[in-house]
Each structure stands twice: as structure tokens, then as C-alpha cells.
Amino acid sequence: MSRTSIVAGNWKMHGSRAENASLIEAIAAQFPSTPQAECVVCPPFVYLQEVARLVRDAEIPVALGAQDVCAEGQGAYTGEVSAAMLKDVGCGYVIVGHSERRMGYGEDDPLVARKFAAAQAKGLIPILCVGEQLSEREAGRTHEVVSRQLDAALELCGVEAFARAVVAYEPCWAIGTGHNATPEQAEEVHRFIRGRIGARNAKIAAEARILYGGSVKAGNAGELFTQPDVDGGLIGGASLKADEFLAILAAARR
Ligand code: 13P
């Protein structure tokens, strides 16, 4: 099964208009003429439109993603941003259920599943983040946690929805810590995720892209990406440095 890998940069709450322009300029200056993977950048909401313009002007095939979306369609939801708005400013992707939102902003599985559905309803591809905390891994509960997170979206939206979705396995203990999962640890969970989707539909599971996230750098991307069920990465800190991000993109396989 050949799946086109994805390398997505989650800028988190970093950047400024000037920094974004420098970063896109530096990425564009060395962007490969035949990239091995789809490339996505996910800036903060306020910069989406500007980054869309920067990418368009630089004429590089980089897709735009948001870091979150409101589960509701429109209305009196102060401070929220809808899927239709994200689509309107040029997003193709949106991250849902990042652990920083689950842990810091109380997002639970049902809410994340509704965000997943809201994104798809407007034609965005959700990047559904799943992953266990260190204590859960140590207690041998990784599969249980990941299943629960995955099943919420599978049950609300059906397995067919995963034909137009991406899953990102991001073990919480590996995020921003410099301690990435080993390639074997990542592969083991990715295989489990694919199996869980595959129990409902083997073809959709075989075609689903499952990204790894958590301290991916130029130095470890190659060994992570050669694992058979790792179809690219969701990159935090290293996506803010053009050289690192491009090296990670170069490490992705088709
Ligand atoms: P780091 O790459 O900084 O560990 O962050 C990973 C992440 O959370 C991507 O969404």
C-alpha cells in the first residue's frame, strides 16, 4: 500500500508577522522541486490568511492548516472560529484534539469528535491527535487510551470519515520534551491504530495516513519515517526552523 506521507508543522502559539514572513521565505528558498511528502503549516488563527498569501506568493506547494476549530457551525460563540471560516481563508486541514487542548482547555473525547465532524462537514481534513500520558503508558494503558480517543470519532462519524482524515499519534510524554518515542514504540501504536480502523474497514485503514508527533527533529525523522505504519509527522518546535523542517520533509517517504 503506498500512502503519500504528510509533514505538518504545528507552530502552536509562536510567530509574528515578521517572523512568519522570514520563516516562509527561508522555507521557500530551499523547498524541494519534487517533495516526497505533502507539506502543511498550521499557524495561529490570526496569521492564517497572511501565511496563505505568503505561501501563494512564494509559489510553493504548502497547504494551510489551523490548530483548532469550533464544534458549532456559527452563532453566539465568542472567541471561537468556525470550520467555514477556516475554509474561507484557505485552510485544507485542521488539528483537532491536540493534547495541549485536551489537557489545558478541558477538551474531552465527545467534544473532539464533534470538532472532527464540524471540520469534515465543511470539507476540511481533520488531523485527529491521540496519545497517552506517561503515567498511562507506565500503567500499560496506552492502547486503552488511544482506543477511547479514536473510537469517539469513529462512533460519531463512522469509519468512512477516516477516508478523509489524518490521525496523529502524539504521546504526551514526547511533546516538547526532546524525548521522542523510539521508532519501535511509535510503530507499535501506529499499527494498533491502523488495526482498530481496519477492524471496521480494511481498505480505509490501509489508505489512512497516521502521523507521529513528539520531539521529531532532523536527526530522528528518518528512522521514525522508515517504520511501515508511520506516514509522516506532526512537528512542533522543529517546524519553526526552516532548515530543520525541510530536513524532516526530506526524510519523509512516499
Ligand atoms: P514538539 O515537536 O515540539 O515535541 O511538538 C509536537 C507537537 O505537539 C506537534 O503537534
Side-chain angles (χ1 to χ4, degrees):
M1 179 69 240
S2 92
R3 296 178 290 266
T4 303
S5 295
I6 298 176
V7 171
N10 174 8
W11 292 4
K12 307 193 180 184
M13 198 172 73
H14 292 289
S16 65
R17 293 180 65 206
E19 286 169 357
N20 302 344
S22 309
L23 180 55
I24 296 297
E25 188 187 339
I27 290 173
Q30 295 188 62
F31 202 83
S33 51
T34 50
Q36 293 300 298
E38 286 177 34
C39 183
V40 183
V41 292
C42 304
F45 286 136
V46 286
Y47 296 130
L48 284 168
Q49 208 166 351
E50 177 79 350
V51 173
R53 188 188 63 75
L54 289 166
V55 164
R56 199 168 49 241
D57 288 355
E59 298 183 357
I60 45 173
V62 172
L64 196 66
Q67 299 174 17
D68 187 23
V69 64
C70 184
E72 309 297 336
Q74 68 166 2
Y77 301 101
T78 301
E80 292 290 284
V81 176
S82 73
M85 293 171 187
L86 296 179
K87 188 80 183 166
D88 194 28
V89 298
C91 287
Y93 293 84
V94 60
I95 297 168
V96 298
H98 193 281
S99 61
E100 287 155 13
R101 299 215 55 86
R102 292 178 187 267
M103 292 192 290
Y105 297 90
E107 294 195 8
D108 59 9
D109 292 320
L111 177 62
V112 172
R114 290 202 300 121
K115 291 185 174 203
F116 181 103
Q120 279 202 330
K122 296 299 174 194
L124 296 168
I125 296 180
I127 301 175
L128 172 66
C129 297
V130 300
E132 81 288 1
Q133 297 183 35
L134 183 59
S135 59
E136 293 167 333
R137 171 164 285 264
E138 287 173 347
R141 294 181 50 222
T142 298
H143 289 188
E144 173 200 324
V145 171
V146 167
S147 301
R148 195 196 68 221
Q149 294 169 334
L150 204 56
D151 289 359
L154 279 167
E155 275 154 30
L156 184 69
C157 304
V159 69
E160 294 73 22
F162 282 73
R164 290 167 287 108
V166 174
V167 178
Y169 170 56
E170 297 209 317
C172 301
W173 47 271
I175 295 177
T177 59
H179 301 297
N180 59 288
T182 66
E184 294 72 27
Q185 285 173 321
E187 171 61 19
E188 191 270 328
V189 181
H190 282 231
R191 198 181 323 117
F192 174 77
I193 292 169
R194 199 177 303 287
R196 194 141 186 111
I197 300 170
R200 298 182 188 228
N201 186 312
K203 181 169 185 290
I204 287 173
E207 292 174 357
R209 268 87 61 88
I210 306 175
L211 314 185
Y212 168 77
S215 297
V216 179
K217 305 182 270 290
N220 60 22
E223 55 175 13
L224 286 160
F225 294 170
T226 49
Q227 298 301 309
D229 289 292
V230 178
D231 308 309
L234 183 54
I235 321 300
S239 73
L240 300 170
K241 299 178 201 129
D243 290 351
E244 282 276 317
F245 190 57
L246 288 166
I248 294 167
L249 181 64
R253 62 173 163 73
R254 209 167 251 286

